Structure formats: C-alpha cells, structure tokens
Amino acid sequence: MRLHINIDHVATLRNARGTPYPDPVQAAQICLESGADGITAHLREDRRHIKDGDVAALRELLVGKLLNLEMAATDEMVEIALRIKPNVVSLVPERREERTTEGGLDVAAGGDALRGKVQKLVAAGIKVSMFIAADPAQIDASKAIGATQVELHTGDYAHAFGDISGDDDSVRNELIRLAAGAAYASRAGVDVAAGHGLTQDNVGPLMEIPQIEELNIGHAVIADAVFMSLAGAVRAMRARIDEGLSNRRLSS
Ligand code: PXP
C-alpha cells in the first residue's frame, strides 16, 4: 500500500500568517523520513494553500521520490505540470467556493477537451490519475481517455463513518460501493487509489478492499501532528526561554 501524504494544510497554516514557516517542503521531508512513499500537493487555481514556488521546491526535493500534483484540468495547470514534471498528476474537480474537493470529476462529461489534456500529460511521461466516484461509467470514461489510475473518492465513506447519527449500515454500504468500484477498475486494468477524509479511525476497514494500492491522506495527518507534537513544541519553546533567561543572568 503506497501512502502519499498531502501537505497542503501545512501551507494553509503558513499562509494564515504570511510567515515563511511552517514550510511544506520541510514537512514533505519529514513525511518521507517517517514512512510516506510519496508527497501529494494540490495547486489550486486560487493558490489558497500550495503556491507555485512550493511545487517547484517540492520537485527539487523529491529527486527519485514520487510527487503527485493534484490540479484542475485547465490549460494553465497542464502547462505548469508539463514544466514541473510531477510523477503523477491527479485531475480533480475544483470550485472556488468549496472548502475542499467536493465530489469526483465528471470524466464522462469531460469530452474531447479533457481527453486532449490527459493525452498531453501522458505523452510527457506523466501518470494520470482521475479523482472520481466509484462509478463504472466514470471508470470506463477515465480509461477511455488514457488515464491509467483512478482515485476513488472516499468522502461519503468518511462522512458515514464520522456521522454520529449514521448507522453501521451506511458505513458498510459505502464500503461495499467502494469495493465494487475498486474491483471494476482493477478488472478494467487501471490502478486503484483512494482518498479524501481518511483518518486513523476510518482507514482500517478500507484495507479490506484488496485492489486499493495507494492512499492519499492530508488533513487528518496534519491535524494529528498538532497533538502528537504539541508537547514537544511547548517544551522546546520553554527551553529556549530558559536559555535566554540564564544568559541574561550571566551577563548582568
Ligand atoms: N485525494 C484528492 C484527490 C484530494 O483532492 C484530496 C484533498 O486535497 C485528498 C486526497 C486528501 O484529502 P484529505 O485532506 O481529506 O485527507
């Protein structure tokens, strides 16, 4: 199982204050040192988290490592991808007002325009993955336009899992839907990834689906990092303050 960590929300935190820290590239380095197989970053059209410079810096850092660039299927983004040459491009739907990627890409409705973009990326040696609902029509359409991977949207599964009023049946039904989509995609000969809304709590049951070979996980990992390292950050700050105080005593 390939684990790709999406470091977008390190950039969200940085951009909230306009500081140079926390640096998503440094985060990528730590993810790779800690068991991630690759790094995912979403360059949105509104640049709300990852910026162009981050993508270029990530490409420089990730020599011999996998960079998955998530992007909308626009001319601007295709031009950037052809220049930066990520290993994988994940095509996602994008709406400016959304909080995060909502729903999968409607590949079936994408027509020749989408096919042309996919084929340009494929011709440049970039693997193309389509972020779609676990729907046979979308899987067939993805394969037909030249994508060699689909990433199944796990958002509804995550919602069912996290919904305290939801019952076990809704979780099971979502798992069955994802399993059927993964099996269909695998039979069609495309690689199967999954992602969106995955957490430490809900990732386990997904492992029942044998065709899924890659996960893209972001928000929950960055959120967990706050609590798994907050104590260390406070201790480090306390130590710097104490060090400064002892220097003051020495010099007075
Ligand atoms: N996969 C895709 C295609 C996405 O667009 C996103 C969100 O950027 C993710 C995975 C990661 O989702 P999350 O941040 O909820 O883990």
Side-chain angles (χ1 to χ4, degrees), residues 66-77:
L66 188 137
L67 174 62
N68 172 19
L69 180 64
E70 287 178 2
M71 56 182 229
T74 63
D75 289 335
E76 183 205 12
M77 289 297 154

Side-chain angles (χ1 to χ4, degrees), residues 6 8 42 70 92 100-101 131 151 195-198 216-219:
N6 179 318
D8 292 352
H42 184 172
E70 287 178 2
V92 302
T100 180
T101 317
F131 187 47
E151 179 176 346
H196 209 276
L198 298 179
N216 287 286
I217 309 182
H219 188 262

Side-chain angles (χ1 to χ4, degrees), residues 6-60:
N6 179 318
I7 41 86
D8 292 352
H9 296 299
V10 176
T12 303
L13 196 55
R14 174 194 63 189
N15 299 353
R17 291 289 288 269
T19 47
Y21 66 85
D23 179 6
V25 177
Q26 191 184 349
Q29 183 84 58
I30 293 170
C31 292
L32 292 170
E33 286 165 7
S34 313
D37 302 297
I39 297 298
T40 298
H42 184 172
L43 185 66
R44 292 185 66 101
E45 287 183 274
D46 61 10
R47 310 302 200 264
R48 77 165 73 142
H49 36 55
I50 292 294
K51 312 263 186 208
D52 298 60
D54 296 326
V55 178
L58 284 168
R59 181 65 295 177
E60 244 175 71

Side-chain angles (χ1 to χ4, degrees), residues 54-243:
D54 296 326
V55 178
L58 284 168
R59 181 65 295 177
E60 244 175 71
L61 168 77
L62 298 173
V63 181
K65 304 277 181 185
L66 188 137
L67 174 62
N68 172 19
L69 180 64
E70 287 178 2
M71 56 182 229
T74 63
D75 289 335
E76 183 205 12
M77 289 297 154
V78 169
E79 189 266 310
I80 291 171
L82 293 176
R83 190 158 29 83
I84 299 281
K85 293 233 161 59
N87 307 74
V88 182
V89 159
S90 295
L91 292 176
V92 302
E94 224 173 81
R95 281 192 301 276
R96 257 167 216 256
E97 64 280 9
E98 70 192 356
R99 248 192 248 171
T100 180
T101 317
E102 287 164 7
L105 191 64
D106 191 352
V107 185
D112 286 345
L114 187 56
R115 177 192 297 269
K117 291 185 177 74
V118 169
Q119 288 182 353
K120 264 191 199 166
L121 295 164
V122 170
I126 298 169
K127 178 174 181 177
V128 177
S129 179
M130 311 300 266
F131 187 47
I132 56 169
D135 168 3
Q138 297 296 342
I139 294 164
D140 287 341
S142 298
K143 182 176 165 129
I145 63 173
T148 54
Q149 178 168 290
V150 292
E151 179 176 346
L152 303 181
H153 197 307
T154 51
D156 287 342
Y157 163 69
H159 276 135
F161 204 97
D163 183 353
I164 41 171
S165 64
D167 48 33
D168 284 351
D169 278 356
S170 57
V171 173
R172 187 86 341 240
N173 289 343
E174 285 302 326
L175 272 177
I176 289 168
R177 213 170 52 80
L178 288 165
Y184 186 92
S186 179
R187 278 197 305 275
V190 292
D191 295 344
V192 185
H196 209 276
L198 298 179
T199 65
Q200 287 187 49
D201 288 338
N202 66 27
V203 76
L206 256 198
M207 298 303 92
E208 291 170 24
I209 303 175
Q211 295 86 1
I212 296 177
E213 50 194 342
E214 174 187 310
L215 298 174
N216 287 286
I217 309 182
H219 188 262
V221 170
I222 304 306
D224 286 343
V226 172
F227 292 127
M228 297 183 99
S229 311
L230 186 57
V234 174
R235 273 190 220 108
M237 183 60 81
R238 186 88 249 172
R240 287 297 174 94
I241 292 166
D242 290 347
E243 203 179 290

